[in-house]
Amino acid sequence: MPDTKTPYDVIVIGAGIAGCSFAHALASTPRKQPLRIALLERSLEEPDRIVGELLQPGGVMALRQLGLEDCLQNIDSIPVHGYCVAEKENVVHIPYPKIYQGRSFHHGRFIMNLRSAAKKAKGVEIIEATVNEFIESETSQRVNGVVATKKNGTEVEKVSLYAHLVVVADGCFSNFRSKVMGPRACTPVTKSYFVGAVLDDATLPYQYHGTVCLTESLGPVLLYQIGTHDTRMLVDVRIPVPSDLKTHILENVVPQLPSALHKSVTDAVQKGNLRKMPNSFLPSVVQGGNEFGCKKGVFLVGDAWNMRHPLTGGGMTVAFNDAVLLRDILAQVEDFSRWDEIGKGLRRWHWDRKPLASTVNILSVALYDLFGANDDNLQVLRTGCFKYFERGGECVNGPVSLLAVTVQSPATLFYHFFSVAFYSIWVMFTHPRLVQRGSGEKPRLLTPGLDEYPGLFVKTFVVIWTAIVVFLPLLWSEVRWWSPDDKNARKTLLFRYGVPVAALATVAIGAFTL
C-alpha cells in the first residue's frame, strides 16, 4: 500500500452539512499561517435525502455568521414564515415573529452549494475517497491520520493521509462513532421512521409554512414546500414498520389529512417512490478527555455525535451553531498538534452549545411524544397543546420562538411544556368532548359533569406524572456529563434528585398558570 504522507492540519471525514460548514469555518478564521484542510467524501455526486430540507430562522442566522448565507441562493429555495398544526380540517396558525424567516429546499442542491463554498475557502482540498480506518501512533495511541480508498480512473488506490487533527462528520450512520468514543459511545435510539414522498403542486393550509398534521393513534405527518412545485411529505411510522407502506398510508393516513391534500398525497403515494429514514435520538457526551478510552487527536461533530428527532427541523441549526462555536474556540489554538489545548476547547464547546442544542433536542422529542400520542394520557396533553396554541399571544410566540431557535432556553421550554400540561387539565375539566351515552346513540359534545370530577382529579395526577416522565429524562440526558451507559449513576441521581425537583417545579408552575 502506498504510504503517501500528506501533512494536513485537519482532516474532516464527511462533506455534508456539518463537515462542509466546519471546514469552511476553520479555513475562514484569520491566522498567521493558513490551515491545510482535507475534506473527504466518498461520493461527490449530489446526494438525495428526504431529511435536512428545512432550516429554521436560527439556522439562517448561524449560516450568516459563517459567511455561507449565499448557499441558499439559486437552488429554488422557499421562504418559511412559520408553522400550522392541523387536525383534519381544524387548523391553528403558528407564525414566526415577523422579523424572522426560515428556508426550505432540496437537500442535495443545498449540499452542493456548501461543498462549492468549502472548496473555494483558502486551504481546503476536497477529496473523493472512502475512509477505511484511523492511523494511530503506536506509542501514544493518538490518531494521526486516516487510511482512505480513492478511485483513480478505473483503478482503486489506497492512500494514507496524515494530520494533526481528525474530525469525524460522517452522519447518523457513522462508521467511526464507537472507534472515537470507545466505551463512552452511545447507541442511537430509534422510535420510528419518516417515510418520505414529494407532492406535485400541493395546496397547504398556509403557503410558505410547515404543516404538522395530527392523526388518531398514528404518528404526525409533516409537510413543507421545498421548491416552486415540490412539497415534501414525511409520514411518521412507528416500529415495526408495516410491510406494505403504500396501503398503510392510503388507507390509514390519507383520510386523516386535510381534504385539500388528499389528491396530491394519493397521487404521490400511487407513484410508489416512497423512501424511509430512521428518526433517532442520540444524546451528546463530553469529548476531549482521555478517560474511558476516548481517543486523542479526533472528535465527532454533527449527527455522528448528537441527534434529535427531525420533526422540528432543528438538526441543521444545531450543526451550523456548532461550527460557529468551534470556529471561535479553535481560533485560540495556534498549533493543532497540542491535544491538551484542543481537549479543553472541546469540553468548553460541550457546555457552550447547551442553551441552543438542549432546547432543540428536548423540544424535538417532547413534541413528537405529544403529537404522536398513543395512549390516553398523552392524548390529553396533545389536545391541551392544540388548545394552548389556539389561545394565541404568548402561547404561540413562546413555543414558536423555541421552534425557530430564536430563543435558546431550556428553562423557557420547561415553562411552556408544563404550562401546556396544566392547561390540558383545565381543558379536560371544562371543554366539551365527544361522548356516546348508549350503544344506539350518536356521539354528542358534552362538558364533564360534577359526577365525573372524582375520576378526573385522579387522572390529573396521572397526566402530570406522564408529562414529567416525558420531559425529565430528556432534560437529564442534556445536563448529565457522563456516558448515558452509566446506568447506575443515572438512575440514582434521576430518582433521588430529578423527580422531586421536577414535581415541585411543575406544581409551582401549575399554580401560577391556573
Side-chain angles (χ1 to χ4, degrees):
M1 179 180 71
D3 190 18
T4 308
K5 291 196 174 184
T6 308
Y8 294 101
D9 294 292
V10 184
I11 292 174
V12 181
I13 303 173
I17 296 293
C20 287
S21 58
F22 179 69
H24 182 275
L26 281 184
S28 303
T29 305
R31 287 180 175 272
K32 294 179 181 177
Q33 187 73 24
L35 294 173
R36 293 195 61 197
I37 301 169
L39 179 58
L40 275 60
E41 174 59 46
R42 60 183 169 186
S43 173
L44 294 177
E45 296 292 324
E46 183 176 313
D48 183 15
R49 295 185 63 192
I50 64 170
V51 292
E53 298 169 314
L54 191 149
L55 185 62
Q56 297 288 2
V60 174
M61 291 188 290
L63 204 63
R64 188 178 300 125
Q65 288 180 272
L66 292 168
L68 292 170
E69 192 176 14
D70 286 348
C71 292
L72 294 170
Q73 305 302 319
N74 303 317
I75 56 173
D76 193 25
S77 65
I78 303 298
V80 180
H81 298 303
Y83 276 78
C84 71
V85 179
E87 281 188 317
K88 291 190 177 178
E89 306 305 323
N90 298 322
V91 178
V92 59
H93 186 206
I94 309 174
Y96 294 143
K98 290 184 178 180
I99 60 173
Y100 297 114
Q101 177 182 283
R103 298 293 280 272
S104 54
F105 37 73
H106 284 272
H107 174 82
R109 298 173 189 174
F110 182 53
I111 288 292
M112 296 306 284
N113 274 1
L114 286 176
R115 289 175 181 173
S116 177
K119 187 176 182 179
K120 293 175 183 176
K122 190 172 183 179
V124 176
E125 180 183 355
I126 297 183
I127 302 171
E128 189 171 36
T130 300
V131 178
N132 306 118
E133 58 183 306
F134 293 139
I135 298 172
E136 298 182 36
S137 167
E138 294 182 1
T139 55
S140 66
Q141 301 300 306
R142 172 175 174 150
V143 173
N144 292 324
V146 300
V147 176
T149 303
K150 295 172 60 177
K151 282 188 177 181
N152 188 3
T154 57
E155 297 183 359
V156 175
E157 177 188 12
K158 279 194 173 181
V159 295
S160 297
L161 305 175
Y162 291 83
H164 297 308
L165 180 65
V166 175
V167 180
V168 176
D170 60 345
C172 59
F173 302 111
S174 176
N175 294 317
F176 297 98
R177 184 182 295 126
S178 59
K179 295 178 183 178
V180 173
M181 300 301 295
R184 288 169 63 84
C186 309
T187 302
V189 176
T190 301
K191 287 188 174 184
S192 65
Y193 284 78
F194 261 153
V195 177
V198 175
L199 316 183
D200 295 329
D201 294 316
T203 302
L204 297 177
Y206 285 87
Q207 190 179 24
Y208 305 136
H209 284 67
T211 301
V212 181
C213 298
L214 306 183
T215 62
E216 191 71 30
S217 302
L218 300 172
V221 179
L222 182 60
L223 301 107
Y224 48 89
Q225 196 174 350
I226 57 174
T228 302
H229 299 286
D230 297 339
T231 296
R232 170 64 69 194
M233 178 183 71
L234 297 172
V235 179
D236 183 79
V237 179
R238 297 192 187 99
I239 296 173
V241 177
S243 57
D244 189 349
L245 285 171
K246 180 178 176 180
T247 299
H248 169 74
I249 294 172
L250 291 176
E251 294 184 357
N252 302 322
V253 177
V254 173
Q256 301 193 58
L257 301 179
S259 57
L261 287 166
H262 286 187
K263 186 180 185 306
S264 56
V265 171
T266 300
D267 290 345
V269 174
Q270 292 283 14
K271 290 179 181 178
N273 188 22
L274 300 177
R275 300 164 57 203
K276 68 179 190 288
M277 281 284 292
N279 297 328
S280 302
F281 177 69
L282 178 66
S284 61
V285 179
V286 176
Q287 301 184 88
N290 301 324
E291 64 273 22
F292 302 113
C294 291
K295 292 191 182 296
K296 300 178 182 179
V298 60
F299 66 92
L300 304 166
V301 296
D303 285 352
W305 178 53
N306 183 208
M307 286 186 280
R308 73 291 309 154
H309 198 285
L311 176 66
T312 59
M316 289 190 291
T317 297
V318 173
F320 291 137
N321 182 68
D322 282 348
V324 171
L325 295 175
L326 279 170
R327 175 195 65 187
D328 296 341
I329 289 171
L330 295 181
Q332 303 171 32
V333 179
E334 290 290 337
D335 184 355
F336 282 2
S337 67
R338 299 169 67 174
W339 178 247
D340 288 344
E341 285 188 37
I342 291 177
K344 289 178 182 178
L346 293 177
R347 293 190 287 275
R348 176 184 155 196
W349 168 52
H350 179 82
W351 296 108
D352 285 354
R353 71 192 292 275
K354 282 296 179 182
L356 186 147
S358 295
T359 300
V360 172
N361 294 347
I362 296 170
L363 176 64
S364 70
V365 182
L367 208 56
Y368 172 73
D369 285 343
L370 263 60
F371 285 175
N374 58 356
D375 70 39
D376 189 48
N377 299 314
L378 285 171
Q379 182 65 47
V380 170
L381 292 170
R382 188 176 91 166
T383 300
C385 184
F386 193 87
K387 298 291 185 183
Y388 189 78
F389 292 150
E390 287 182 333
R391 298 178 70 186
E394 187 55 28
C395 294
V396 165
N397 292 335
V400 81
S401 295
L402 294 165
L403 183 66
V405 204
T406 56
V407 170
Q408 304 151 16
S409 169
T412 302
L413 175 57
F414 183 96
Y415 169 80
H416 282 286
F417 184 85
F418 284 102
S419 293
V420 166
F422 280 95
Y423 188 69
S424 299
I425 292 166
W426 173 257
V427 169
M428 185 174 66
F429 274 88
T430 61
H431 285 227
R433 68 195 191 283
L434 280 174
V435 176
Q436 187 173 12
R437 294 296 190 187
S439 58
E441 294 185 12
K442 292 183 178 180
R444 292 184 296 167
L445 282 172
L446 296 175
T447 302
L450 291 176
D451 60 317
E452 298 179 70
Y453 277 23
L456 292 178
F457 274 118
V458 173
K459 191 169 185 177
T460 293
F461 291 98
V462 179
V463 170
I464 291 300
W465 180 252
T466 300
I468 291 173
V469 169
V470 167
F471 192 89
L472 188 63
L474 297 173
L475 178 63
W476 196 248
S477 71
E478 292 295 327
V479 300
R480 59 100 181 96
W481 58 91
W482 58 87
S483 169
D485 291 332
D486 190 357
K487 295 179 181 178
N488 292 331
R490 181 173 77 241
K491 288 180 179 178
T492 299
L493 290 175
L494 175 63
F495 288 100
R496 182 175 296 175
Y497 302 109
V499 170
V501 169
L504 289 172
T506 53
V507 169
I509 291 173
F512 173 78
T513 304
L514 297 178

